[in-house]
mmCIF file of all heavy atoms in Angstrom:
data_model
loop_
_atom_site.group_PDB
_atom_site.id
_atom_site.type_symbol
_atom_site.label_atom_id
_atom_site.label_comp_id
_atom_site.label_asym_id
_atom_site.label_seq_id
_atom_site.Cartn_x
_atom_site.Cartn_y
_atom_site.Cartn_z
ATOM 1 N N VAL U 76 95.121 37.200 -98.863
ATOM 2 C CA VAL U 76 95.697 36.518 -97.698
ATOM 3 C C VAL U 76 96.794 37.388 -97.107
ATOM 4 O O VAL U 76 97.641 37.913 -97.832
ATOM 5 C CB VAL U 76 96.273 35.143 -98.099
ATOM 6 C CG1 VAL U 76 97.117 34.564 -96.971
ATOM 7 C CG2 VAL U 76 95.148 34.193 -98.460
ATOM 8 N N THR U 77 96.743 37.578 -95.807
ATOM 9 C CA THR U 77 97.763 38.376 -95.137
ATOM 10 C C THR U 77 98.665 37.476 -94.313
ATOM 11 O O THR U 77 98.178 36.589 -93.600
ATOM 12 C CB THR U 77 97.104 39.418 -94.218
ATOM 13 O OG1 THR U 77 96.355 40.314 -95.015
ATOM 14 C CG2 THR U 77 98.148 40.201 -93.448
ATOM 15 N N LEU U 78 99.975 37.695 -94.447
ATOM 16 C CA LEU U 78 100.926 37.036 -93.566
ATOM 17 C C LEU U 78 101.201 38.004 -92.432
ATOM 18 O O LEU U 78 101.749 39.079 -92.646
ATOM 19 C CB LEU U 78 102.218 36.712 -94.319
ATOM 20 C CG LEU U 78 102.049 35.938 -95.625
ATOM 21 C CD1 LEU U 78 103.401 35.736 -96.286
ATOM 22 C CD2 LEU U 78 101.377 34.594 -95.361
ATOM 23 N N LEU U 79 100.776 37.625 -91.232
ATOM 24 C CA LEU U 79 100.859 38.523 -90.094
ATOM 25 C C LEU U 79 101.821 37.939 -89.073
ATOM 26 O O LEU U 79 101.736 36.749 -88.759
ATOM 27 C CB LEU U 79 99.460 38.698 -89.481
ATOM 28 C CG LEU U 79 99.350 39.508 -88.196
ATOM 29 C CD1 LEU U 79 99.701 40.954 -88.447
ATOM 30 C CD2 LEU U 79 97.943 39.389 -87.629
ATOM 31 N N GLY U 80 102.702 38.748 -88.584
ATOM 32 C CA GLY U 80 103.613 38.240 -87.555
ATOM 33 C C GLY U 80 104.567 39.322 -87.123
ATOM 34 O O GLY U 80 104.707 40.338 -87.793
ATOM 35 N N PRO U 81 105.220 39.125 -85.975
ATOM 36 C CA PRO U 81 106.209 40.098 -85.524
ATOM 37 C C PRO U 81 107.428 40.058 -86.444
ATOM 38 O O PRO U 81 107.560 39.159 -87.272
ATOM 39 C CB PRO U 81 106.551 39.633 -84.111
ATOM 40 C CG PRO U 81 106.234 38.185 -84.097
ATOM 41 C CD PRO U 81 105.116 37.986 -85.067
ATOM 42 N N SER U 82 108.334 41.031 -86.291
ATOM 43 C CA SER U 82 109.520 41.026 -87.147
ATOM 44 C C SER U 82 110.349 39.792 -86.822
ATOM 45 O O SER U 82 110.427 39.349 -85.680
ATOM 46 C CB SER U 82 110.332 42.302 -86.935
ATOM 47 O OG SER U 82 110.623 42.458 -85.574
ATOM 48 N N GLY U 83 110.929 39.204 -87.847
ATOM 49 C CA GLY U 83 111.713 37.986 -87.668
ATOM 50 C C GLY U 83 110.872 36.724 -87.709
ATOM 51 O O GLY U 83 111.377 35.639 -87.476
ATOM 52 N N SER U 84 109.578 36.868 -88.036
ATOM 53 C CA SER U 84 108.745 35.668 -88.058
ATOM 54 C C SER U 84 108.815 34.968 -89.410
ATOM 55 O O SER U 84 108.231 33.909 -89.575
ATOM 56 C CB SER U 84 107.298 36.042 -87.738
ATOM 57 O OG SER U 84 106.824 36.982 -88.675
ATOM 58 N N GLY U 85 109.500 35.579 -90.383
ATOM 59 C CA GLY U 85 109.679 34.909 -91.666
ATOM 60 C C GLY U 85 108.687 35.326 -92.728
ATOM 61 O O GLY U 85 108.719 34.808 -93.839
ATOM 62 N N LYS U 86 107.818 36.302 -92.405
ATOM 63 C CA LYS U 86 106.764 36.647 -93.355
ATOM 64 C C LYS U 86 107.308 37.287 -94.626
ATOM 65 O O LYS U 86 106.890 36.958 -95.728
ATOM 66 C CB LYS U 86 105.719 37.558 -92.688
ATOM 67 C CG LYS U 86 106.294 38.800 -92.028
ATOM 68 C CD LYS U 86 105.235 39.448 -91.168
ATOM 69 C CE LYS U 86 105.610 40.856 -90.705
ATOM 70 N NZ LYS U 86 106.900 40.984 -90.051
ATOM 71 N N THR U 87 108.304 38.192 -94.455
ATOM 72 C CA THR U 87 108.871 38.821 -95.643
ATOM 73 C C THR U 87 109.661 37.820 -96.475
ATOM 74 O O THR U 87 109.634 37.854 -97.710
ATOM 75 C CB THR U 87 109.739 40.013 -95.221
ATOM 76 O OG1 THR U 87 108.918 40.980 -94.574
ATOM 77 C CG2 THR U 87 110.395 40.668 -96.422
ATOM 78 N N THR U 88 110.330 36.892 -95.795
ATOM 79 C CA THR U 88 111.072 35.864 -96.519
ATOM 80 C C THR U 88 110.140 35.041 -97.399
ATOM 81 O O THR U 88 110.467 34.719 -98.547
ATOM 82 C CB THR U 88 111.809 34.951 -95.526
ATOM 83 O OG1 THR U 88 112.639 35.764 -94.720
ATOM 84 C CG2 THR U 88 112.646 33.915 -96.248
ATOM 85 N N ILE U 89 108.975 34.716 -96.871
ATOM 86 C CA ILE U 89 108.004 33.947 -97.652
ATOM 87 C C ILE U 89 107.612 34.726 -98.904
ATOM 88 O O ILE U 89 107.580 34.196 -100.013
ATOM 89 C CB ILE U 89 106.752 33.644 -96.790
ATOM 90 C CG1 ILE U 89 107.131 32.733 -95.628
ATOM 91 C CG2 ILE U 89 105.649 33.025 -97.635
ATOM 92 C CD1 ILE U 89 106.018 32.510 -94.630
ATOM 93 N N LEU U 90 107.358 36.037 -98.710
ATOM 94 C CA LEU U 90 106.971 36.872 -99.833
ATOM 95 C C LEU U 90 108.093 36.944 -100.870
ATOM 96 O O LEU U 90 107.851 36.889 -102.076
ATOM 97 C CB LEU U 90 106.633 38.274 -99.324
ATOM 98 C CG LEU U 90 105.666 39.064 -100.202
ATOM 99 C CD1 LEU U 90 104.292 38.446 -100.132
ATOM 100 C CD2 LEU U 90 105.622 40.518 -99.776
ATOM 101 N N MET U 91 109.334 37.088 -100.369
ATOM 102 C CA MET U 91 110.468 37.218 -101.283
ATOM 103 C C MET U 91 110.707 35.921 -102.063
ATOM 104 O O MET U 91 111.151 35.950 -103.208
ATOM 105 C CB MET U 91 111.733 37.613 -100.508
ATOM 106 C CG MET U 91 111.695 39.042 -99.992
ATOM 107 S SD MET U 91 111.498 40.244 -101.323
ATOM 108 C CE MET U 91 110.758 41.608 -100.476
ATOM 109 N N MET U 92 110.415 34.788 -101.437
ATOM 110 C CA MET U 92 110.540 33.516 -102.158
ATOM 111 C C MET U 92 109.487 33.441 -103.261
ATOM 112 O O MET U 92 109.753 32.968 -104.370
ATOM 113 C CB MET U 92 110.393 32.343 -101.193
ATOM 114 C CG MET U 92 111.610 32.142 -100.313
ATOM 115 S SD MET U 92 111.606 30.572 -99.450
ATOM 116 C CE MET U 92 110.365 30.837 -98.208
ATOM 117 N N LEU U 93 108.295 33.936 -102.937
ATOM 118 C CA LEU U 93 107.220 33.907 -103.923
ATOM 119 C C LEU U 93 107.539 34.842 -105.091
ATOM 120 O O LEU U 93 107.309 34.521 -106.252
ATOM 121 C CB LEU U 93 105.900 34.295 -103.244
ATOM 122 C CG LEU U 93 104.619 34.206 -104.066
ATOM 123 C CD1 LEU U 93 104.492 32.859 -104.717
ATOM 124 C CD2 LEU U 93 103.416 34.474 -103.171
ATOM 125 N N ALA U 94 108.130 36.027 -104.741
ATOM 126 C CA ALA U 94 108.465 36.990 -105.792
ATOM 127 C C ALA U 94 109.679 36.548 -106.596
ATOM 128 O O ALA U 94 109.877 36.993 -107.716
ATOM 129 C CB ALA U 94 108.735 38.366 -105.166
ATOM 130 N N GLY U 95 110.493 35.675 -106.007
ATOM 131 C CA GLY U 95 111.648 35.159 -106.737
ATOM 132 C C GLY U 95 112.958 35.803 -106.328
ATOM 133 O O GLY U 95 113.982 35.562 -106.954
ATOM 134 N N PHE U 96 112.959 36.634 -105.277
ATOM 135 C CA PHE U 96 114.199 37.264 -104.845
ATOM 136 C C PHE U 96 114.953 36.396 -103.843
ATOM 137 O O PHE U 96 116.089 36.681 -103.490
ATOM 138 C CB PHE U 96 113.923 38.644 -104.245
ATOM 139 C CG PHE U 96 113.283 39.575 -105.232
ATOM 140 C CD1 PHE U 96 112.049 40.136 -104.983
ATOM 141 C CD2 PHE U 96 113.913 39.855 -106.436
ATOM 142 C CE1 PHE U 96 111.456 40.977 -105.895
ATOM 143 C CE2 PHE U 96 113.328 40.693 -107.362
ATOM 144 C CZ PHE U 96 112.094 41.249 -107.095
ATOM 145 N N GLN U 97 114.316 35.342 -103.349
ATOM 146 C CA GLN U 97 114.979 34.366 -102.486
ATOM 147 C C GLN U 97 114.587 32.986 -103.010
ATOM 148 O O GLN U 97 113.480 32.814 -103.503
ATOM 149 C CB GLN U 97 114.516 34.498 -101.025
ATOM 150 C CG GLN U 97 114.825 35.829 -100.386
ATOM 151 C CD GLN U 97 116.299 36.023 -100.129
ATOM 152 O OE1 GLN U 97 117.092 35.087 -100.230
ATOM 153 N NE2 GLN U 97 116.685 37.252 -99.812
ATOM 154 N N THR U 98 115.510 32.047 -102.867
ATOM 155 C CA THR U 98 115.163 30.700 -103.286
ATOM 156 C C THR U 98 114.958 29.822 -102.061
ATOM 157 O O THR U 98 115.710 29.934 -101.103
ATOM 158 C CB THR U 98 116.272 30.076 -104.154
ATOM 159 O OG1 THR U 98 117.515 30.425 -103.573
ATOM 160 C CG2 THR U 98 116.213 30.576 -105.572
ATOM 161 N N PRO U 99 113.939 28.975 -102.096
ATOM 162 C CA PRO U 99 113.691 28.104 -100.946
ATOM 163 C C PRO U 99 114.860 27.120 -100.772
ATOM 164 O O PRO U 99 115.475 26.695 -101.751
ATOM 165 C CB PRO U 99 112.421 27.348 -101.334
ATOM 166 C CG PRO U 99 111.885 28.026 -102.533
ATOM 167 C CD PRO U 99 112.985 28.768 -103.170
ATOM 168 N N THR U 100 115.160 26.782 -99.516
ATOM 169 C CA THR U 100 116.182 25.780 -99.247
ATOM 170 C C THR U 100 115.611 24.386 -99.517
ATOM 171 O O THR U 100 116.315 23.486 -99.957
ATOM 172 C CB THR U 100 116.641 25.889 -97.782
ATOM 173 O OG1 THR U 100 116.881 27.265 -97.503
ATOM 174 C CG2 THR U 100 117.903 25.095 -97.539
ATOM 175 N N ALA U 101 114.330 24.240 -99.242
ATOM 176 C CA ALA U 101 113.673 22.954 -99.514
ATOM 177 C C ALA U 101 112.220 23.235 -99.866
ATOM 178 O O ALA U 101 111.696 24.299 -99.571
ATOM 179 C CB ALA U 101 113.755 22.055 -98.277
#
Side-chain angles (χ1 to χ4, degrees):
Chain U
V76 168
T77 296
L78 307 178
L79 175 66
S82 54
S84 59
K86 54 192 193 307
T87 297
T88 304
I89 295 173
L90 205 69
M91 289 301 155
M92 286 193 287
L93 185 52
F96 299 121
Q97 298 290 348
T98 41
T100 313

